[in-house]
Amino acid sequence: MVILLKRQHDKKQLEHLMNWLKNMNLEIHASEGSMQTILGLVGDTTVVDIDLLKALDIVEDVKRIQEPYKNANRKFHPKDTVVNVGDVKIGGGNFVMIAGPCSVESEEQICCVAESVKKSGAKILRGGAFKPRTSPYAFQGMREKGLELLSEAKQKTGLPIVTEIMDLSQLHLFEDVDVIQVGARNMQNFELLKELGKINKPILLKRGLASTLQEFIMSAEYIMAGGNENVILCERGIRTYEPSTRNTLDLSAIPMLKNMTHLPIIVDPSHATGIARVVKPMALAAVAAGADGLIIEVHNDPPHAACDGAQSLTPEAFDNLAKAIEVIRPMACTYDQGVCQ
Amino acid sequence: MVILLKRQHDKKQLEHLMNWLKNMNLEIHASEGSMQTILGLVGDTTVVDIDLLKALDIVEDVKRIQEPYKNANRKFHPKDTVVNVGDVKIGGGNFVMIAGPCSVESEEQICCVAESVKKSGAKILRGGAFKPRTSPYAFQGMREKGLELLSEAKQKTGLPIVTEIMDLSQLHLFEDVDVIQVGARNMQNFELLKELGKINKPILLKRGLASTLQEFIMSAEYIMAGGNENVILCERGIRTYEPSTRNTLDLSAIPMLKNMTHLPIIVDPSHATGIARVVKPMALAAVAAGADGLIIEVHNDPPHAACDGAQSLTPEAFDNLAKAIEVIRPMACTYDQGVCQ
Amino acid sequence: MVILLKRQHDKKQLEHLMNWLKNMNLEIHASEGSMQTILGLVGDTTVVDIDLLKALDIVEDVKRIQEPYKNANRKFHPKDTVVNVGDVKIGGGNFVMIAGPCSVESEEQICCVAESVKKSGAKILRGGAFKPRTSPYAFQGMREKGLELLSEAKQKTGLPIVTEIMDLSQLHLFEDVDVIQVGARNMQNFELLKELGKINKPILLKRGLASTLQEFIMSAEYIMAGGNENVILCERGIRTYEPSTRNTLDLSAIPMLKNMTHLPIIVDPSHATGIARVVKPMALAAVAAGADGLIIEVHNDPPHAACDGAQSLTPEAFDNLAKAIEVIRPMACTYDQGVCQ
Amino acid sequence: MVILLKRQHDKKQLEHLMNWLKNMNLEIHASEGSMQTILGLVGDTTVVDIDLLKALDIVEDVKRIQEPYKNANRKFHPKDTVVNVGDVKIGGGNFVMIAGPCSVESEEQICCVAESVKKSGAKILRGGAFKPRTSPYAFQGMREKGLELLSEAKQKTGLPIVTEIMDLSQLHLFEDVDVIQVGARNMQNFELLKELGKINKPILLKRGLASTLQEFIMSAEYIMAGGNENVILCERGIRTYEPSTRNTLDLSAIPMLKNMTHLPIIVDPSHATGIARVVKPMALAAVAAGADGLIIEVHNDPPHAACDGAQSLTPEAFDNLAKAIEVIRPMACTYDQGVCQ
């Protein structure tokens, strides 16, 4: 951390600041120039509150040089984390395909899709029971009943299941769920993250639609600080000015995150783009860039899906995609300690 | 709502679509051209799922023409909503100044700030008990104890209080709170919004930092759909590419929202900019543009604030600001049925 | 400027770097910690190429602490620049109202609007002769003929004129033009900026629609580096994800720029919002925040304007606005050495 | 195009509007509902000015349904355009690798890099002679001399060359240049685009850093409207709030543009990310998504490059990348009439 002092600064206030910093076990290196004095702080600066420093009369600016996260930091854990979901491994060279409908709609629908995506090579089943919808008048998901139907599909196919939690009060219903998804809108629902840090189920954490990569990792850090290290990061598009796709898929997040953290990174091209015909090119691109997995929306009858039909693949289109991915996977980027080889 | 059909479309599928739309009590007006066929839907289209329409084989594009909100819609409720907080009125020409520290830190601090801002003309006291912080290692607020201290300050000064709820499970603690704040990060915490729709306390809803104005109103609609019409909207800056301010305060949200909805709109220049010296110009600008109120961070000792010191005003600076606002208020924009006069 | 070295760095390469930096007359202050070594550079770092430093094997990150601009920098020129346009002064407490149609369309139109805005208090006439239009099929302006008509209007009313240059090759046509406007799309047309630095007419430089404030000032610096210090900055909205207004007017640019630079800052609420009924609230807000002027689109017959009719005020609406501004001006923020009082 | 009328609209004004539209040879289909009247316009709406319509008293909103571009429109030209650069073909299944340094620095440098990238499989040499730099104090390119050195490298290696034009006045110097690049900052320099429409050299048009895909195509349309159909589109990253990469590479632009237009689309991962170690994953991703080519920065000595060293590959790294691309190319997305198969 670097503190830039104002040109005219009170010596006593400076002394006061230096003592306060030393009490936090930070070494201070002052660079006094004719124009500017800079204080370099060396040590564990994750505990220092930047806003507080900026409020000081004698301070002009403060820049963080070191990352404010520890548990998720690649520097302190050079080896890739591998998350285990039953027998399925994610990360550290293990690629996973997750697929299923946006919403669970009926036993027939979820089981039919589950069997079909399993045949095509999916290893985990996704399906929404609690659905975050912009409009209070839109379908809100089957809720408890949806979770039950997911469990049935799990029993029938043997596929582990991942589904979204929308509120802490729902947590007791997620016992049979294998991976708990935290949606983009809840990425900074800190109370939820803290509780999920206390359990040891894998958490699929989606990037908030206006979150920086650092904030994204900080939310993973919330979970990990509680003791749960099984976090899977998911890039799902960010909000930009471009109106033609629902969001802008930020694939450079893959090499950037690989460098910043040891956690596995998967990509959701369905929600990112919102357009079925764009899912395949973005899925192949994500694989080529070295993603640890994909999560894809598949519906047996997209035009009659209860939500997000426009972005769902048919089972045939998914099978075509899965085959293409199998072929391209061996040519994809591989990372060694976060650096693409 | 307008549906653009693909150039080559199956007549049977079209018939199927028309029947489905008619069953939703929508009138359909088809415009068949040599190049393009357009279906205009007339009626209550708030219930139509755009994504589902877009998924149809015969559909090229769908555009919503009417607003997807009803209760919050100015068109159906031309008169301004006035929210009552005890004796304090907000909206419909009633301006309110809300002030207080980012976090409650001690009895002395909150009572001292409360008395000082009251003297300067603030009508409601703000103060954070539960604090959403990007880092798990940062101060998370005094929580229950913070709420107690707010109640004490309320008793001593007679000022009603507003403070943020971070999770549904905290709701029972908010009995003595006069206005419940939903923070920017929770603007689309739909489970929380639904519950807040069932109580009848005023809700201060902050705009999410990547929310469109329409999404913002849709979140108000969630609360109102449950029966609670006491919603105060708060513009607090949106995320843009500009790095010099924390967020970009979108003051055009005031005239835009005034036209879209009848709810009162206040502005938070402290969080929007994150810089104390920018608060005054932005506060004056918000008032000039016709905001129904301001929410301002004030701390007796900003350099030692537990959070966000960099954006807090001293009591003296707040007093100076309050005086300037009193002078400028009579010259501010006034709105008649959402249109600046 | 601060250089963060990689944890394992070659001592010889470091020595090489230190020598290179010293040759640029920079003092180097090294802070060696157990975890991290930081080099603080003190001196004139405007000449240092950050990208080059970042490319070095031993460097992990580089942060600029000092501003990369000199001529435009408030630190080195604490007093406000006042730009003179004939008898009209802009900046340093002098407020200017600029008004006129988006495009010059006919002698009758431009003279009629010019006389009308003059009566309402405008001091400079605006009008587009060369028009940047997104579509090649849209009206491109009257070009040379438009400039002639502007000159006529100037002669008739005595109002100095401001109009946009779109290419260097047009410069010889601008002799009778009092202020040359560089449009948002040309803010980083560096060849144009360099040439405009060699003349001594005032330049009205509009912020690019995705430019940071620092880039904005750097473009002013291009002009000033050539010797022309008569630069007027114009905030005209930035591109964000919000679709309801054409752009998002960033009024915090006023206090931020006041602090960074001594140049005058005006605001264009017409182009920023693109909606006539939003112009007045944003104009009042800009004045309240301390803008040095406004540039407003006025058309005698907005529904038949050749371009941008949706955002033009009628002469009556402009007169109403001008009166409101006269009343609010004395209550607006004032700045002392870039800090709002 | 769809026009939404205000609820209370004057019948005479409506008649006036209808006549005006009919005079533009547009068919009008009115859908009159109890709540809302919608006019659907069928015919060539590229000539209609949306802003003008929006300014009408009786109009509430206008939505464009059809694309405002013709020459570049896939709908009217289903077959892929193939651009020929000497013997090199781009588009329609033909992939091209373009490589070279950011700036031409010396004969030795450009020839050395040219020979090296040719050996690795590059078919066109890139190199900047005129350099757009944010700072007036940064290296501005070798200019005329740089063009001469590029010509020498072309003669020695037989590689056609592509380099950026920054102003119309430079055009006469570009005779020996095979492909003229229009940089991101000049994407809406309409005077330049018009002139480039009159020559028949291929134009490499880079997406502006805040341009929508539609605006991007409209700029291509400017060139094509003048008669030059040899336009190559280049995605090079857009500006978002994410600070860790220079820009955010929008790879979904590939499938989106493929659908909208028949022009070839290449990708520049070097400028998009600004970080050498991110170039390879993004290059592979672009290829997988079906890009028609790549443009990559390669420098023999990145730490001593005159500009943008941080994002340049060494010749060895480029060779490694070129080999990886050769392997992955056959597995990439292929498009049929703009739809990924």
Side-chain angles (χ1 to χ4, degrees), chain B residues 14-71:
Chain B
L14 177 55
E15 212 173 287
H16 191 78
L17 170 61
M18 306 269 279
N19 285 332
W20 183 72
L21 293 168
K22 278 175 197 154
N23 284 338
M24 297 173 92
N25 284 320
L26 296 168
E27 277 176 64
I28 309 167
H29 296 258
S31 315
E32 225 159 311
S34 51
M35 295 280 298
Q36 206 98 50
T37 299
I38 293 170
L39 305 182
L41 306 189
V42 177
D44 179 7
T45 57
T46 51
V47 293
V48 181
D49 190 325
I50 275 197
D51 278 324
L52 201 153
L53 282 176
K54 282 186 182 168
L56 296 174
D57 259 1
I58 58 170
V59 170
E60 183 163 321
D61 204 358
V62 185
K63 305 236 179 216
R64 195 180 277 285
I65 297 270
Q66 278 145 318
E67 302 83 11
Y69 46 93
K70 298 182 224 182
N71 295 298

Side-chain angles (χ1 to χ4, degrees), chain C residues 26-335:
Chain C
L26 296 168
E27 277 176 64
I28 308 167
H29 296 258
S31 315
E32 225 159 312
S34 53
M35 296 280 298
Q36 207 97 50
T37 299
I38 294 170
L39 305 182
L41 307 189
V42 178
D44 180 7
T45 57
T46 53
V47 293
V48 181
D49 192 325
I50 274 197
D51 278 323
L52 202 151
L53 282 175
K54 283 187 182 168
L56 297 173
D57 260 359
I58 58 169
V59 170
E60 182 163 322
D61 204 359
V62 185
K63 305 237 179 215
R64 192 179 279 286
I65 298 268
Q66 279 147 316
E67 302 83 11
Y69 45 93
K70 301 182 221 181
N71 294 298
N73 200 330
R74 169 78 74 176
K75 273 191 199 145
F76 307 128
H77 306 77
K79 270 187 64 177
D80 286 350
T81 284
V82 177
V83 174
N84 293 291
V85 180
D87 296 338
V88 183
K89 287 179 186 312
I90 310 176
N94 303 287
F95 182 85
V96 70
M97 181 70 101
I98 306 173
C102 176
S103 296
V104 180
E105 292 164 33
S106 69
E107 191 194 324
E108 202 197 330
Q109 173 244 17
I110 187 68
C111 291
C112 155
V113 174
E115 269 159 29
S116 137
V117 300
K118 186 185 176 187
K119 257 185 236 160
S120 300
K123 295 285 179 240
I124 301 180
L125 175 67
R126 61 148 291 157
F130 297 94
K131 297 299 306 171
R133 304 300 304 273
T134 307
S135 167
Y137 311 120
F139 175 58
Q140 309 272 319
M142 291 184 79
R143 305 176 71 90
E144 285 86 340
K145 181 68 189 162
L147 291 178
E148 285 168 30
L149 296 180
L150 277 172
S151 284
E152 274 186 52
K154 172 181 172 176
Q155 246 178 318
K156 280 198 182 154
T157 58
L159 290 179
I161 52 181
V162 55
T163 193
E164 180 169 353
I165 192 168
M166 281 180 64
D167 188 79
L168 258 184
S169 59
Q170 300 159 353
L171 189 52
H172 67 281
L173 301 166
F174 279 65
E175 243 173 63
D176 193 39
V177 171
D178 302 278
V179 180
I180 300 180
Q181 177 178 317
V182 176
R185 293 177 180 86
N186 271 323
M187 194 203 82
Q188 294 194 319
N189 184 333
F190 299 121
E191 299 297 311
L192 179 60
L193 299 179
K194 281 183 209 168
E195 286 305 311
L196 296 178
K198 297 177 189 161
I199 62 177
N200 64 7
K201 261 187 217 298
I203 307 299
L204 177 59
L205 180 67
K206 290 198 151 189
R207 182 179 182 184
L209 90 181
S211 297
T212 63
L213 294 178
Q214 185 171 298
E215 288 167 348
F216 190 16
I217 296 180
M218 288 308 281
S219 284
E221 186 84 9
Y222 255 97
I223 300 169
M224 298 171 87
N228 184 354
E229 305 241 322
N230 297 304
V231 181
I232 304 158
L233 302 175
C234 179
E235 159 63 29
R236 45 76 70 210
I238 60 173
R239 184 156 271 183
T240 70
Y241 65 84
E242 171 60 44
S244 68
T245 41
R246 182 192 289 168
N247 293 121
T248 297
L249 184 61
D250 176 14
L251 287 178
S252 56
I254 300 170
M256 294 306 290
L257 287 172
K258 282 281 174 201
N259 203 252
M260 296 161 85
T261 181
H262 48 89
L263 297 172
I265 300 138
I266 70 169
V267 171
D268 178 348
S270 306
H271 280 87
T273 65
I275 303 172
R277 76 178 148 68
V278 181
V279 170
K280 186 179 174 183
M282 290 302 98
L284 293 190
V287 170
D292 295 307
L294 290 171
I295 179 163
I296 306 276
E297 274 190 27
V298 179
H299 195 283
N300 48 336
D301 185 11
H304 296 99
C307 79
D308 285 341
Q311 74 201 27
S312 289
L313 299 189
T314 59
E316 295 71 41
F318 178 69
D319 193 62
N320 165 311
L321 170 63
K323 289 205 173 88
I325 283 168
E326 230 169 287
V327 177
I328 211 171
R329 264 279 293 153
M331 283 83 190
C333 270
T334 54
Y335 290 83

